[in-house]
Amino acid sequence: MDNRPIGVFDSGIGGLTVLQEIMEQLPGEDVVYFGDTARIPYGTRSRETVIKYSFQCIRFLLSKDIKAIVIACNTASAMALEEARKVFEVPILGVIDPGANAAVSSTKNNKVGVIGTTGTINSEAYQKKIRRAHPSSEVIGISCPLFVPIVEEGWEDTDVAFITAEKYLSGLKEHTVDTLVLGCTHYPILRYTVGKVMGDGVKLINPAYETAKCTKKLLKEEGLLSEKVDGAKYEFYVSDDPEKFRRIGGNILRKEIATIQKVNIEVL
Amino acid sequence: MDNRPIGVFDSGIGGLTVLQEIMEQLPGEDVVYFGDTARIPYGTRSRETVIKYSFQCIRFLLSKDIKAIVIACNTASAMALEEARKVFEVPILGVIDPGANAAVSSTKNNKVGVIGTTGTINSEAYQKKIRRAHPSSEVIGISCPLFVPIVEEGWEDTDVAFITAEKYLSGLKEHTVDTLVLGCTHYPILRYTVGKVMGDGVKLINPAYETAKCTKKLLKEEGLLSEKVDGAKYEFYVSDDPEKFRRIGGNILRKEIATIQKVNIEVL
């Protein structure tokens, strides 16, 4: 047993959807969350820069005596996970592998859709993983740049969200995908709207949910589960003004985030 | 007379709306345009950083032997214009003053709306200028985070644009503003949609148009107009991958941007 917290980081608030799944699936695990809000978005930065930033996030979380790290950011998972595992001894998970593996297990007709930010879709991170596991599969990536601001406005259940989703997803429907990966940490908030547009025949893969499941499995296998079964504590840190994080993050978690501390991440 | 080009810079592609107005109002003036696409957005950065970046943009444009500079970026205009005028001898214009002055001249009921990015609205750059010129006026700022991605998707004439505009602008309509400043360089692309929502009684102020007008006046007063009356040449430079600039910029200018060169702006 190990009562130390799990460390979770993201380039901003999107990773709170991963935290929320950890809260639900592992209600006894304390978590330290770091959102690198001063340097968001990671998606437009070079591989070298994303690795540097991710290592700084990891070093910060290690200073909080965490027992495992979850990279709750698609770009950092794609670009920095392998490098980080070479350098740090702590167990580290990303969001890409759990999401891609779940898509491979789900599809029956070998037609998989992936939606995400332009950076994630252009990086082909999910598409490559799925094709590697399932070489005969057809994987179609669509970037949906309006989805993040829609979630950040709290508009996920509005007509704007619905008709935007219809515009983005019509091509995927024509391709008759039977599985759709929500390949951006913000998108699980839009899953009901996306589900309504895609219809019941399409299985939505939520990498946040899958990542929490993998985290639980890892902690169990490594004997790192907490003794507590509930009543976990959560600490929040950001690298920029906490106000936006508090407001939008509270919407995502559907509870108030009382204390958020600002960290000077550049010096780590 | 002075046949050297005008230099225009922005944090990205939005400033092309200013370039387009210069093309129309000053068809004989050559222009060198620089888009700092590697470091967009400026709106989330500190004043010190925005000044540093703006000075680098200005030094790049000066290396192209320009005769005047237009800062076609709201954040850089608000934060760096005054400092730049202290340091550089070349005439420099921003977009805030022309937009704010036009709003002050336009309003009859002293109720002015300003829409822009969250950064521009929170900075109160337009609001302060308008209140200073017109202390009794009521100025209401609304940030519209979905408008930039809507323009970048080329969705300005869709139902998504229209119902998004209705959601953002309903409060301004209730306040019966008679003048509305399009306080983000992307927004002139949405002017027909915004106009339809606000109705004929509301005058839309396009700072891009007003800035080009001020540029013409300045060149005339300083004896810097070109001898040509049309057939101007345009050069485009960016600090990151030119592909997105070519695609979205072409939509904004409604003509193909043939040659775009990449510049290492960090070293200037």
Side-chain angles (χ1 to χ4, degrees), chain A residues 93-108:
Chain A
L93 285 110
V95 288
I96 307 273
D97 288 334
N101 292 338
V104 169
S105 304
S106 153
T107 184
K108 301 278 189 293

Side-chain angles (χ1 to χ4, degrees), chain B residues 42-186:
Chain B
Y42 281 12
T44 54
R45 306 194 191 269
S46 69
R47 183 183 171 81
E48 197 187 356
T49 302
V50 172
I51 291 173
K52 182 182 138 193
Y53 287 1
S54 300
F55 280 23
Q56 288 175 320
C57 296
I58 292 170
R59 281 195 287 269
F60 168 71
L61 292 172
L62 287 172
S63 78
K64 298 290 167 189
D65 194 27
I66 49 79
K67 62 185 171 190
I69 283 179
V70 177
I71 306 182
C73 166
N74 284 286
T75 303
S77 297
M79 291 184 174
L81 177 61
E82 262 177 65
E83 295 301 315
R85 281 178 173 160
K86 286 182 204 159
V87 171
F88 300 98
E89 280 180 26
V90 65
I92 309 178
L93 284 109
V95 289
I96 307 273
D97 287 334
N101 292 338
V104 168
S105 304
S106 153
T107 185
K108 300 278 189 293
N109 70 359
N110 286 344
K111 289 184 183 177
V112 178
V114 180
I115 55 175
T117 63
T118 308
T120 299
I121 295 304
N122 287 351
S123 78
E124 297 246 319
Y126 282 101
Q127 296 98 305
K128 280 183 201 158
K129 293 263 178 192
I130 295 168
R131 282 192 208 108
R132 202 172 302 154
H134 226 326
S136 69
S137 60
E138 191 185 342
V139 193
I140 302 153
I142 303 279
S143 61
C144 308
L146 261 75
F147 279 178
V148 166
I150 282 172
V151 169
E152 299 205 339
E153 288 290 62
W155 286 8
E156 60 271 13
D157 295 321
T158 64
D159 45 356
V160 172
F162 187 77
I163 57 174
T164 298
E166 277 190 319
K167 277 178 108 72
Y168 282 134
L169 304 174
S170 60
L172 290 176
K173 287 180 78 173
E174 280 167 28
H175 274 83
T176 63
V177 302
D178 71 350
T179 300
L180 177 59
V181 180
L182 305 173
C184 166
T185 48
H186 281 70

Side-chain angles (χ1 to χ4, degrees), chain A residues 102-230:
Chain A
V104 169
S105 304
S106 153
T107 184
K108 301 278 189 293
N109 71 358
N110 286 345
K111 290 185 183 177
V112 178
V114 181
I115 55 175
T117 63
T118 308
T120 299
I121 296 304
N122 287 351
S123 78
E124 297 246 320
Y126 282 101
Q127 295 98 305
K128 279 182 200 158
K129 292 265 179 190
I130 296 168
R131 281 193 206 108
R132 202 172 303 155
H134 227 326
S136 68
S137 60
E138 190 184 343
V139 192
I140 303 153
I142 303 279
S143 61
C144 307
L146 261 76
F147 278 178
V148 166
I150 282 173
V151 169
E152 299 205 339
E153 287 291 63
W155 286 9
E156 59 271 14
D157 295 320
T158 63
D159 45 356
V160 172
F162 187 77
I163 58 175
T164 299
E166 278 189 320
K167 278 178 106 74
Y168 282 133
L169 304 174
S170 61
L172 291 176
K173 287 178 78 172
E174 280 166 28
H175 274 83
T176 63
V177 301
D178 71 351
T179 301
L180 177 60
V181 180
L182 306 172
C184 166
T185 48
H186 281 69
Y187 293 4
I189 306 293
L190 282 161
R191 61 183 178 271
Y192 300 109
T193 302
V194 170
K196 233 192 294 180
V197 171
M198 294 305 292
D200 288 340
V202 176
K203 163 96 172 159
L204 301 188
I205 303 295
N206 178 353
Y209 171 83
E210 304 297 336
T211 301
K213 219 166 94 176
C214 289
T215 306
K216 188 172 180 178
K217 186 161 169 269
L218 173 96
L219 295 184
K220 214 177 258 178
E221 284 170 1
E222 306 274 327
L224 292 173
L225 281 168
S226 159
E227 285 166 316
K228 292 189 290 187
V229 291
D230 57 18

Side-chain angles (χ1 to χ4, degrees), chain B residues 225-239:
Chain B
L225 281 169
S226 160
E227 285 166 316
K228 293 190 289 185
V229 292
D230 56 17
K233 284 176 298 183
Y234 307 102
E235 285 177 35
F236 298 93
Y237 299 86
V238 293
S239 50

